Amino acid sequence: MNRNRKLFNLQTFTGESSSSITRSNAEALIPVQESHDIIQGVVEQSAVLQRGRRLPNMTAAQYRMPVLDMLPVAYFVNGEGGEARKKLTTMAWDKKMIYAEEIAVVVPISEAVLDDADYDIWGEVRPRLIEAFGQKIDGAVLFGVEKPATWRDDVVTTATKAGAIVALGSDLYDSILGEDGVIAKVEEGSYFVNGHMADITMRAKLRGIKDTTGQPVFKSDMQTGATYTLDGSPMSFPRNGAFDRSRALMISGDFSQLVYSIRQDITFKIFDQGVIQDPSTGEIKYNLMQNDMVALRAVMRLGWEIPNPINAMVPDKTKRCPFAILTSAASGASVAAYSAGDDPGADQEKTIYTESQLTAMTIDQIRALAAEKGYAITKTVKAEIIAEFLEQQNA
């Protein structure tokens, strides 16, 4: 059978074609209704898309979002008549940009497998694609894993830079709900917590919290299942593999401030000719025509932002963050946890850090610590950053 030769990746096959696969030919493989089902599935599988606030779909690659940046000020008028001169005030808006970036995957399948299978191959592939897209979105937004260059700092980095970070202490209840706990960190920015995301290991920690009589705090009886809520806000435990417990055990905040917009719902194309190359080396992995294979390509585009508009209580945006994180005491995510001595209140500027202590930190944490000490960090590789930090510390 003659098939239309199509461009795939970087190589082009040339030649005459007497027929082409039309939409009606491929309708059994890519029904129109599937796109809507898939995008809903991604939202359900992605903790970020499920908890965040969806904006109207983007109509271009960039979405400009006006954000309140200056509040008006009112004054008392002292005096009467000619002495009663009323003062002026103003308001100002800043603009934040959402950049649509592409997430894509290619699934090559042998034609022999498709011919011989007596079950729905697409039905098997679909849930895995949903999971893969959800994992990629959550990893980039929450932890900055492989995030596009145009995207802003991830949620954990944003909270860390704002100082909205709590290391798990001996009392889990105080670490979360206490005066200096995670929820209080969000409230310091004049936000109310409306949701939590946590690593699945937090379930056991929460089940272990008991009151003064030894009764579990989060379970009132043995007949009904435990409902995980904190201070009245729902709690979710993502299981798509994106949550990095080494950087955060829990993320709490006002998730209406995590906004996203979709530029393009997931679309699919079936290719039966072309080559698939290794993106890093350019090596040809499959020649679809020669290997009697077909390839399904799935593509989605979206972007996100944290508006964080000014409010009357915390006008300084560097100290205002709608999210806070709880970290493991052993992970060293809190800068204060890296005291060279036993005194947790030691002066950070005078503290000497070892290479092993710095290695246990993330790059963002090392950069934050360097900024506190006034060190200039120019490297991008972690080992080189540590060496640069130690060189300035020991100078």
Side-chain angles (χ1 to χ4, degrees):
M1 176 185 295
N2 292 325
R3 295 187 175 98
N4 182 38
R5 294 171 169 82
K6 295 189 176 182
L7 173 65
F8 193 83
N9 213 324
L10 299 179
Q11 291 199 8
T12 304
F13 288 88
T14 60
E16 296 181 357
S17 175
S18 59
S19 63
S20 63
I21 298 177
T22 65
R23 178 172 292 275
S24 61
N25 297 142
E27 190 171 4
L29 294 175
I30 48 173
V32 176
Q33 297 300 322
E34 296 290 5
S35 179
H36 178 74
D37 292 341
I38 285 289
I39 189 62
Q40 294 302 323
V42 173
V43 171
E44 291 176 4
Q45 287 290 329
S46 166
V48 167
L49 300 189
Q50 189 174 22
R51 187 70 68 192
R53 176 162 57 96
R54 182 173 177 176
L55 300 176
N57 287 353
M58 303 172 69
T59 58
Q62 299 180 14
Y63 185 111
R64 180 179 288 115
M65 180 172 48
V67 176
L68 185 62
D69 195 52
M70 181 183 295
L71 293 172
V73 179
Y75 305 90
F76 283 104
V77 178
N78 296 315
E80 296 180 356
E83 296 180 358
R85 294 185 178 90
K86 298 174 178 61
K87 297 181 181 180
L88 304 178
T89 189
T90 186
M91 291 179 65
W93 287 263
D94 193 8
K95 63 177 184 295
K96 290 198 173 183
M97 302 295 296
I98 294 179
Y99 297 93
E101 293 292 348
E102 182 178 295
I103 302 174
V105 66
V106 177
V107 183
I109 305 174
S110 168
E111 288 185 353
V113 173
L114 291 175
D115 292 340
D116 296 341
D118 58 357
Y119 55 87
D120 182 9
I121 292 289
W122 171 235
E124 296 293 320
V125 172
R126 180 172 61 179
R128 298 309 175 192
L129 286 179
I130 292 174
E131 185 177 52
F133 275 69
Q135 180 188 45
K136 190 58 61 177
I137 293 168
D138 288 358
V141 173
L142 297 178
F143 299 99
V145 178
E146 298 180 4
K147 78 175 184 68
T150 60
W151 280 11
R152 58 161 294 121
D153 283 342
D154 57 272
V155 171
V156 169
T157 298
T158 299
T160 301
K161 288 182 177 180
I165 180 171
V166 176
L168 178 61
S170 58
D171 191 320
L172 177 61
Y173 189 93
D174 284 344
S175 296
I176 298 174
L177 296 162
E179 186 175 353
D180 295 317
V182 174
I183 293 178
K185 290 289 185 182
V186 178
E187 293 169 344
E188 287 174 6
S190 193
Y191 288 106
F192 288 117
V193 171
N194 62 13
H196 311 268
M197 293 183 195
D199 182 70
I200 195 169
T201 58
M202 281 293 293
R203 291 172 64 92
K205 296 181 186 297
L206 294 171
R207 288 196 300 268
I209 300 180
K210 298 180 176 62
D211 61 20
T212 55
T213 65
Q215 298 300 311
V217 171
F218 289 95
K219 194 171 181 65
S220 57
D221 61 75
M222 299 303 293
Q223 282 73 43
T224 57
T227 300
Y228 290 86
T229 61
L230 291 175
D231 199 31
S233 301
M235 191 171 190
S236 58
F237 303 89
R239 291 192 296 164
N240 59 11
F243 208 94
D244 185 355
R245 76 182 68 171
S246 68
R247 296 190 59 194
L249 288 175
M250 185 176 72
I251 300 172
S252 302
D254 181 355
F255 282 89
S256 69
Q257 288 296 309
L258 193 164
V259 300
Y260 66 94
S261 181
I262 294 174
R263 175 66 181 94
Q264 175 185 329
D265 287 353
I266 293 184
T267 58
F268 302 93
K269 279 190 177 180
I270 298 288
F271 295 85
D272 65 352
Q273 295 195 36
V275 297
I276 300 177
Q277 296 175 271
D278 187 317
S280 58
T281 65
E283 177 187 357
I284 295 177
K285 305 293 290 185
Y286 301 106
N287 183 324
L288 299 182
M289 181 272 292
Q290 190 174 32
N291 298 122
D292 292 325
M293 301 179 73
V294 295
L296 169 68
R297 185 183 68 189
V299 179
M300 177 184 185
R301 296 172 65 196
L302 79 164
W304 78 289
E305 184 50 276
I306 300 177
N308 195 17
I310 191 171
N311 61 63
M313 293 185 63
V314 189
D316 185 352
K317 61 185 177 183
T318 64
K319 299 179 180 179
R320 184 180 67 246
C321 183
F323 298 97
I325 60 174
L326 176 70
T327 66
S328 169
S331 72
S334 171
V335 172
Y338 285 101
S339 173
D342 296 329
D343 181 10
D347 187 347
Q348 295 299 315
E349 291 186 359
K350 298 179 181 179
T351 300
I352 302 300
Y353 295 87
T354 65
E355 183 175 356
S356 60
Q357 288 174 323
L358 296 173
T359 300
M361 300 184 193
T362 66
I363 289 178
D364 289 332
Q365 290 156 8
I366 299 173
R367 289 186 183 278
L369 182 60
E372 288 186 11
K373 288 176 165 286
Y375 298 164
I377 300 298
T378 61
K379 306 297 184 182
T380 57
V381 178
K382 186 173 182 179
E384 296 176 351
I385 291 174
I386 292 175
E388 193 173 31
F389 183 100
L390 294 174
E391 181 180 358
Q392 296 178 71
Q393 175 181 260
N394 300 330

